[in-house]
Amino acid sequence: SDPFVVDSVAGADGIFFAGGDQSDYARIWAGTPVSAAINADIARGVPIGGISAGLAISGQYAFTALKNTVTSDKAMSDCFGTKIQLKADMVRYPGLARTITDSHFAQRGRLGRLLTFMSRILTDGWTSTVRGLGIDESTAVLLDADGTASVIGAGNASFIRMGSSDVITCASGEPVSTGRVRVDVVRPGNGFDTTSWSGNPDPPRYAQITDGVLTFPT
């Protein structure tokens, strides 16, 4: 709430959220005048970006890590596990509305946990359709105001969309189960339109969680 800090953020030409521990963001400035200044900047067209934890807070929905991080196996074992702490509207960037992001995606095997986070968001009734964006290390997704995304860097970006009907089981103390969900993996140099949810990905992959186990049905 310090006026100098708030004024500095409010006058920014760009905002970049550093990596580290996203629980610091959730604990320290979510819902404060700094948060309001960030969202006012976005509303006037200031570009934003983030890496690792800074990416994790950039969607409308965020995994806050307030109870430490969680692996895919642990997340899929219980949709309401203690470590699955989610928060909405820390950052309100229109291009990432109804979206939850995740970093270190392929390197740390995070597809299972992202599907779990999405299942939890749908089960809690925050939205009837949720989008997931998983970005590999040394990779960036450049998202224009019109919803056009371009992938650059050394890895891929995974675009996922789920609706309430895709959630089979998401209940306290029970392993997660989902239907067959399409995963569009987009390589560097290619793009994806988040408005029409189409682009030039590799042949689509399909993922499914069955009783807490991630599989890849054809």
Side-chain angles (χ1 to χ4, degrees):
S1 299
D2 183 277
F4 173 78
V5 175
V6 175
D7 290 345
S8 297
V9 173
D13 295 313
I15 298 172
F16 192 86
F17 300 116
D21 184 347
Q22 62 257 40
S23 68
D24 288 339
Y25 295 124
R27 288 185 300 101
I28 295 171
W29 60 253
T32 71
V34 163
S35 180
I38 289 169
N39 288 311
D41 286 342
I42 294 169
R44 65 181 174 86
V46 169
I48 68 167
I51 184 171
S52 191
L55 168 64
I57 65 163
S58 295
Q60 180 177 1
Y61 310 121
F63 169 60
T64 63
L66 285 168
K67 299 291 185 180
N68 210 337
T69 191
V70 64
T71 63
S72 282
D73 287 346
K74 186 69 174 178
M76 291 186 295
S77 70
D78 184 353
C79 204
F80 282 78
T82 303
K83 291 187 175 182
I84 300 179
Q85 301 284 323
L86 306 175
K87 191 174 183 65
D89 297 318
M90 285 182 62
V91 176
R92 294 192 295 273
Y93 181 66
L96 293 176
R98 303 183 310 281
T99 302
I100 183 167
T101 59
D102 212 348
S103 57
H104 308 283
F105 198 61
Q107 290 77 12
R108 299 187 185 178
R110 287 183 165 173
L111 176 58
R113 81 173 200 168
L114 183 57
L115 292 174
T116 299
F117 295 161
M118 295 168 74
S119 298
R120 174 67 181 273
I121 289 166
L122 293 165
T123 299
D124 283 349
W126 289 1
T127 181
S128 59
T129 303
V130 64
R131 309 185 306 180
L133 174 56
I135 303 178
D136 293 350
E137 294 177 0
S138 302
T139 308
V141 172
L142 309 180
L143 183 60
D144 291 335
D146 64 0
T148 302
S150 302
V151 179
I152 62 171
N156 304 321
S158 298
F159 295 82
I160 309 161
R161 186 167 58 180
M162 289 179 66
S164 299
S165 62
D166 293 313
V167 182
I168 297 173
T169 304
C170 179
S172 180
E174 296 185 26
V176 179
S177 290
T178 71
R180 182 171 172 263
V181 178
R182 176 168 168 157
V183 181
D184 288 310
V185 180
V186 180
R187 295 184 181 277
N190 293 321
F192 197 82
D193 187 336
T194 62
T195 301
S196 63
W197 210 253
S198 62
N200 52 353
D202 281 353
R205 297 174 71 194
Y206 291 89
Q208 183 171 355
I209 304 175
T210 304
D211 294 329
V213 178
L214 180 65
T215 60
F216 298 94
T218 56

